[in-house]
Amino acid sequence: MYTVPTREFERRLDLLYRVMDEKRLDAAYIINPINIAYFTGFYYLQTERPAAVVIRRNGDIYFFGPLLERDHVLSQTKLVSKVYTYRDYPGEVHPMRLFADWLRELHLDSSAIGYDSTPGYTSYWGYKGPNLAELLPSAKFVSISDDIYSMRLIKSDVEIDLLRESAKWANLAHSLLQDYTAPGMYDYEISLRASLDASIMMKKALGPGYKLEV
């Protein structure tokens, strides 16, 4: 088993719903790509373009993000109920203002919303713009970052099995690094060769069901 089964995502979401119940939250606003993958199975490369997953207490999950991610979301996860997209950043209408409009459409503009990183988007990759707390003054935003960290800290049996499988392939890659190291070679030459060969072996061994996430 090399993928996360649906029951595992259900277990994680149940933990999130418990936090939402304890803190009386109507929804969770998730922007950390690792957290998004943790709860939905959707992996994406974070850029300056804002992207988020909104998880409602009733079980509905929505993706907010750039249009170029639409097909990726639909192909990677069946948990997302609806996809909202914008064409580009910053665009004629700033994406965060569209996020606010979409939350209004979902009747969450006066709700209590938990967030994992910020009630907006991270500036790490060059993002600039308002946050949702400014655009939705009637909403209450509550940090649930520590709660999500605590969830991820304790691994399930499924996660432990996947970590063990991952360790096997990491060990192979490091073994290849040692085998390919030779006088006169640059580190990037050795790294590229070991990474490529290990990936080819892994793809062949795991079969067509394996999908590389970057």
Side-chain angles (χ1 to χ4, degrees):
M1 188 274 295
Y2 308 114
T3 59
V4 181
T6 300
R7 68 176 186 280
E8 175 65 15
F9 290 114
E10 292 172 346
R11 181 193 69 83
R12 298 171 183 179
L13 288 168
D14 282 341
L15 292 175
L16 181 61
Y17 296 147
R18 291 182 196 176
V19 171
M20 294 166 70
D21 285 342
E22 291 170 3
K23 298 194 173 184
R24 298 182 179 181
L25 303 175
D26 302 295
Y29 176 82
I30 310 296
I31 66 166
N32 183 306
I34 298 175
N35 291 339
I36 290 177
Y38 182 78
F39 289 117
T40 70
F42 168 58
Y43 298 82
Y44 82 102
L45 181 64
Q46 192 173 48
T47 68
E48 76 283 0
R49 299 179 179 90
V53 163
V54 175
I55 302 172
R56 297 188 77 146
R57 182 59 191 87
N58 67 1
D60 289 337
I61 301 176
Y62 310 96
F63 173 77
F64 294 177
L67 179 61
L68 58 86
E69 297 291 356
R70 178 180 174 81
D71 289 344
H72 298 155
V73 176
L74 297 176
S75 66
Q76 289 184 27
T77 178
K78 303 300 181 184
L79 297 173
V80 173
S81 309
K82 188 173 182 179
V83 176
Y84 292 84
T85 62
Y86 58 89
R87 289 189 175 277
D88 207 354
Y89 167 82
E92 295 182 4
V93 179
H94 193 283
M96 198 54 57
R97 297 189 182 279
L98 294 175
F99 283 22
D101 288 342
W102 296 334
L103 288 171
R104 291 188 188 96
E105 180 181 324
L106 296 171
H107 305 293
L108 290 171
D109 51 309
S110 296
S111 301
I113 302 173
Y115 64 88
D116 65 340
S117 299
T118 172
Y121 198 63
T122 177
S123 60
Y124 183 79
W125 294 107
Y127 166 81
K128 293 182 180 179
N131 63 49
L132 293 173
E134 299 170 359
L135 299 174
L136 300 173
S138 296
K140 177 183 178 182
F141 289 92
V142 178
S143 175
I144 54 173
S145 176
D146 290 344
D147 302 281
I148 294 176
Y149 177 81
S150 296
M151 292 177 205
R152 289 174 45 194
L153 193 63
I154 301 174
K155 304 304 181 185
S156 68
D157 290 341
V158 169
E159 291 169 325
I160 291 171
D161 287 343
L162 288 171
L163 285 169
R164 285 174 175 156
E165 182 67 24
S166 178
K168 294 177 185 178
W169 293 104
N171 182 66
L172 170 64
H174 279 276
S175 296
L176 292 176
L177 281 172
Q178 293 175 316
D179 292 342
Y180 296 161
T181 299
M185 293 190 68
Y186 289 108
D187 54 354
Y188 70 85
E189 294 179 272
I190 303 166
S191 175
L192 286 172
R193 183 182 174 191
S195 177
L196 177 61
D197 286 355
S199 296
I200 291 172
M201 293 178 197
M202 184 166 59
K203 179 181 177 183
K204 183 177 181 179
L206 299 183
Y210 171 73
K211 296 292 188 297
L212 176 64
E213 310 296 352
V214 294

